[in-house]
Amino acid sequence: MTTSADYETDVLVVGTGPAGGGAAALLATYGVNVMVINRFAWTARTPRAHITNQRTMEVIRDLGLEEEANSLAAPQEQMGENTYCASLAGKEFGRIQTWGTHPRRKADYDLASPTKMCDLPQNLLEPVLARAAAHRGAKVRFDTEYISHSQDEDGVSVVLRDVLTDHEYTVRCQYLLGADGANSKIVGDADLPLEGVMAKSGSINIVFEADLTKYVAHRPSVLYWVIQPGSQVGGLGIGVVRMVRPWKKWLAIWGYDVEQGPPDMTDEKATEIVHNLIGDSDIPVKIDATSTWTVNETYATQLSRGRVFALGDAIHRHPPTNGLGSNTSIQDAFNLAWKLAYVIKGKAGPELLETYSTERAPVAEQIVKRANKSLGDFPPILQALGLFDAKTPDDMLKNIDALASESGEAAARRQALHDAIAGSDYVYNAHGVELNQRYDSAAVVPDGSPEEVFARDKELYHQATSRPGANVPHAWLSTPGGRVSTIDLCGKGKFTILTGVNGGKWAELAEKAGAACNIDIDVHQIGLGQHHEDPYGDFAAKMETQEDGALLVRPDLIVAWRAQAIEATSQTDLIQALEKILACGDKAAMSQKTAA
């Protein structure tokens, strides 16, 4: 980097949210010089995103932060009694067991990962990531605003402003990461293409404290949908009471007419809305904060321009249904960080970075469409309640009351209501959307196996596979010190080979391949008599190869290459696979020499 600057670093990350904080923590862990900024004085003040799924918990586990995260989170067991009601104190219309808590679904979640999903509000998660980044060497600066950037062949010059002094200065970096949220300036400055629409509808967040134990402890959940007349939007209210901390910290969500703009919110007005949702005006309520946001349906189709990359809400903007936002953001960072580290350290060609957009842009599109599609699961519930057939709030209340009457019409409506609530399963239990990502890029080497066929609905159900492009399957293994997951043997910034008892030769092949490609490759034999035994036979089944086959796993836990067995060409095959994945084909001569 030759351009004059006030400060130089390998990577500059703009934003300390789940995407930016995650990227900074990962890059610092990988030994990359990284600076991360936030234009505010600290991390998120309000809870914002909260559902934390198993794939994200695997990233947090890889960072060594799982225990700390779980100590701050509400456990899965307290997340599931999703309730539809007229108010917390009023009529309950029905429930659905969510986030894998139904007995029929719990096994799916237990078998999928060594981690458990949990409820970890963003204002508690962000400091964990920022602190880890700082402790591992990242330069973390608050009250610092991104102004502009310009890039050339050698790097990016970024103008920043110190919010406290109004002083502007320049940082020179090899790569710039825009994790600056749904109104991303970096996405605009880099002219990244976006599809979809913004500001489809408006919502008000009200963070408050109130002891609601008597209304919720018997039906523990993170979401209570409150259906009642009186909203400013068309006379019909669909409010949400969301648990932040059991059972005294909450976030209420109420709608506003986006065409009229956000309303002026006073504590008195906020308290009135909260009391209506609770259904008990005698409950003491303390308002902590209010804010407004809009429902968006927008995603980027290209995630980078030259040396500038965008991630998180900057590239996928959608409603909170399905709880996908912060999860996808952290997973964006997991995909990108190791690639940046390998390129910066000279272990991979810059073409590897192109696979970030190839792999993550389809995920951005999928989750934006899924979250917005889930909004369509609510009108059938309102229809069954008779709210679409009413002209006034009084009519709405009468129709709701009539639902309990002893008549054939009421019975049909009750059945329709049960069916509609059951139909919202895709909003909460989309385990496949959370875990079934399949990458198809130059950083994955196909093995010629037939295209995967899903045995069950691939949005609702996770399906493990060792096919290249999928996450390495989880299986519990036994060691002298206790059990570990196959996932625990991989990641942490390194490539890994997993093989069976007859795969001892892979250690020699990996050592030669690693030397040829200038990387370290861990090798683990799994099975009877090995340090890692497979007592249940789960790894043998999920490996989907012969016992001497091999899974080459990327640092982000993705199976990059698979060998069915050791062959005479295995040395050359492994080196050529690594050269393709790491975009370092200029090492072909060395690889041939090593293979010989």
Side-chain angles (χ1 to χ4, degrees):
M1 294 182 287
T2 58
T3 301
S4 175
D6 299 292
Y7 182 78
E8 294 187 358
T9 188
D10 290 333
V11 180
L12 173 62
V13 182
V14 178
T16 60
L26 287 160
L27 289 165
T29 302
Y30 299 155
V32 174
N33 291 324
V34 57
M35 177 180 181
V36 57
I37 67 166
N38 183 340
R39 65 190 177 98
F40 300 106
W42 186 232
T43 53
R45 179 177 172 231
T46 55
R48 303 184 189 178
H50 59 117
I51 300 296
T52 309
N53 66 37
Q54 288 173 293
R55 190 66 79 221
T56 297
M57 289 303 296
E58 288 173 4
V59 180
I60 292 172
R61 185 183 182 98
D62 187 78
L63 278 166
L65 302 173
E66 183 183 24
E67 183 177 352
E68 182 179 3
N70 280 329
S71 73
L72 298 170
Q76 185 178 14
E77 296 75 33
Q78 293 181 338
M79 296 173 62
E81 293 287 335
N82 195 95
T83 302
Y84 296 90
C85 56
S87 68
L88 295 187
K91 289 181 180 176
E92 179 181 309
F93 304 128
R95 303 181 204 173
I96 180 171
Q97 288 179 277
T98 57
W99 315 119
T101 57
H102 194 289
R104 282 198 307 269
R105 296 305 310 272
K106 188 176 184 299
D108 293 330
Y109 288 70
D110 288 347
L111 291 170
S113 173
T115 68
K116 287 184 176 292
M117 76 180 316
C118 61
D119 191 272
L120 182 55
Q122 190 170 332
N123 61 320
L124 300 180
L125 171 62
E126 287 188 14
V128 172
L129 298 174
R131 186 164 51 247
H135 285 182
R136 298 174 190 187
K139 303 300 182 186
V140 183
R141 294 182 66 88
F142 292 93
D143 290 312
T144 303
E145 182 179 13
Y146 162 84
I147 300 299
S148 64
H149 77 267
S150 61
Q151 62 174 310
D152 51 49
E153 292 183 358
D154 299 320
V156 189
S157 296
V158 186
V159 178
L160 304 179
R161 183 176 73 91
D162 186 311
V163 174
L164 299 180
T165 65
D166 205 34
H167 170 68
E168 291 189 359
Y169 58 98
T170 301
V171 172
R172 181 71 174 172
C173 56
Q174 292 190 48
Y175 298 98
L176 170 65
L177 273 54
D180 50 339
N183 295 309
S184 172
K185 189 174 189 302
I186 291 177
V187 165
D189 289 351
D191 195 25
L192 297 182
L194 297 168
E195 290 191 7
V197 295
M198 295 283 284
K200 294 171 62 177
S201 60
S203 293
I204 305 165
N205 277 1
I206 304 170
V207 182
F208 68 98
E209 295 179 13
D211 185 353
L212 303 182
T213 304
K214 66 179 180 179
Y215 295 127
V216 299
H218 63 289
R219 47 184 180 182
S221 180
V222 295
L223 291 173
Y224 300 85
W225 293 92
V226 181
I227 302 169
Q228 60 184 223
S231 168
Q232 297 172 353
V233 183
L236 172 64
I238 308 174
V240 179
V241 178
R242 183 196 120 190
M243 183 269 289
V244 176
R245 296 288 83 191
W247 305 110
K248 298 180 181 180
K249 187 82 172 184
W250 303 89
L251 186 149
I253 306 176
W254 199 244
Y256 72 87
D257 189 336
V258 72
E259 293 184 1
Q260 295 182 11
D264 293 328
M265 287 298 296
T266 63
D267 283 359
E268 290 74 21
K269 179 61 179 175
T271 301
E272 179 186 350
I273 292 173
V274 168
H275 274 148
N276 286 338
L277 294 171
I278 297 171
D280 182 350
S281 59
D282 293 329
I283 291 284
V285 169
K286 177 185 176 183
I287 304 297
D288 283 355
T290 62
S291 59
T292 59
W293 51 278
T294 59
V295 171
N296 305 313
E297 188 173 4
T298 305
Y299 55 90
T301 55
Q302 178 183 331
L303 311 187
S304 65
R305 176 95 51 200
R307 292 174 173 269
V308 179
F309 297 80
L311 60 164
D313 286 354
I315 57 170
H316 35 79
R317 311 168 185 182
H318 53 87
T321 40
N322 289 90
L324 298 168
S326 65
N327 292 289
T328 308
S329 299
I330 290 175
Q331 292 158 34
D332 290 341
F334 199 38
N335 181 286
L336 179 59
W338 78 268
K339 296 174 181 178
L340 285 167
Y342 272 62
V343 172
I344 288 169
K345 294 180 179 182
K347 298 178 182 295
E351 294 83 4
L352 173 63
L353 298 177
E354 296 174 8
T355 66
Y356 167 65
S357 188
T358 306
E359 293 179 347
R360 295 302 295 177
V363 176
E365 178 180 356
Q366 178 197 22
I367 64 109
V368 168
K369 290 183 175 180
R370 176 66 260 174
N372 277 274
K373 185 178 180 181
S374 290
L375 295 177
D377 289 335
F378 293 99
I381 297 173
L382 304 181
Q383 180 66 55
L385 290 170
L387 303 189
F388 290 157
D389 301 325
K391 296 181 180 180
T392 67
D394 287 341
D395 291 339
M396 295 177 190
L397 293 173
K398 289 178 182 178
N399 287 349
I400 290 174
D401 289 340
L403 192 67
S405 66
E406 297 182 13
S407 70
E409 179 184 355
R413 285 178 54 207
R414 286 193 293 271
Q415 185 61 53
L417 177 61
H418 292 316
D419 292 344
I421 291 175
S424 65
D425 199 27
Y426 284 89
V427 181
Y428 317 105
N429 292 312
H431 202 212
V433 175
E434 296 169 359
L435 303 187
N436 280 341
Q437 286 83 12
R438 304 288 190 261
Y439 292 157
D440 181 8
S441 77
V444 172
V445 182
D447 65 350
S449 58
E451 185 173 346
E452 185 179 359
V453 176
F454 284 85
R456 298 187 290 179
D457 187 315
K458 67 179 181 180
E459 288 199 316
L460 282 180
Y461 300 99
H462 166 55
Q463 180 166 299
T465 179
S466 71
R467 194 166 185 264
N471 270 70
V472 61
H474 156 65
W476 284 118
L477 308 175
S478 176
T479 75
R483 71 176 188 173
V484 298
S485 169
T486 48
I487 288 174
D488 296 328
L489 305 184
C490 306
K492 300 171 184 64
K494 298 176 71 174
F495 277 81
T496 305
I497 285 179
L498 302 181
T499 185
V501 176
N502 282 346
K505 190 176 180 181
W506 284 109
E508 176 187 345
L509 301 182
E511 183 177 1
K512 291 181 178 179
C517 296
N518 190 31
I519 66 169
D520 294 324
I521 306 173
D522 286 343
V523 180
H524 297 283
Q525 281 179 267
I526 298 171
L528 189 65
Q530 305 302 309
H531 180 75
H532 296 98
E533 298 204 356
D534 183 23
Y536 309 108
D538 289 343
F539 173 71
K542 292 181 178 180
M543 190 174 176
E544 300 175 321
T545 71
Q546 297 180 38
E547 197 178 61
D548 61 342
L551 306 181
L552 176 66
V553 184
R554 299 185 337 191
D556 59 348
L557 306 179
I558 296 296
V559 177
W561 175 77
R562 179 172 67 174
Q564 286 296 321
I566 294 176
E567 306 285 355
T569 60
S570 290
Q571 182 73 87
T572 300
D573 294 342
L574 175 57
I575 293 175
Q576 289 180 348
L578 284 166
E579 288 177 345
K580 178 180 183 295
I581 294 161
L582 297 174
C584 54
D586 58 330
K587 298 178 181 176
M590 182 182 292
S591 73
Q592 293 301 321
K593 181 179 178 181
T594 304

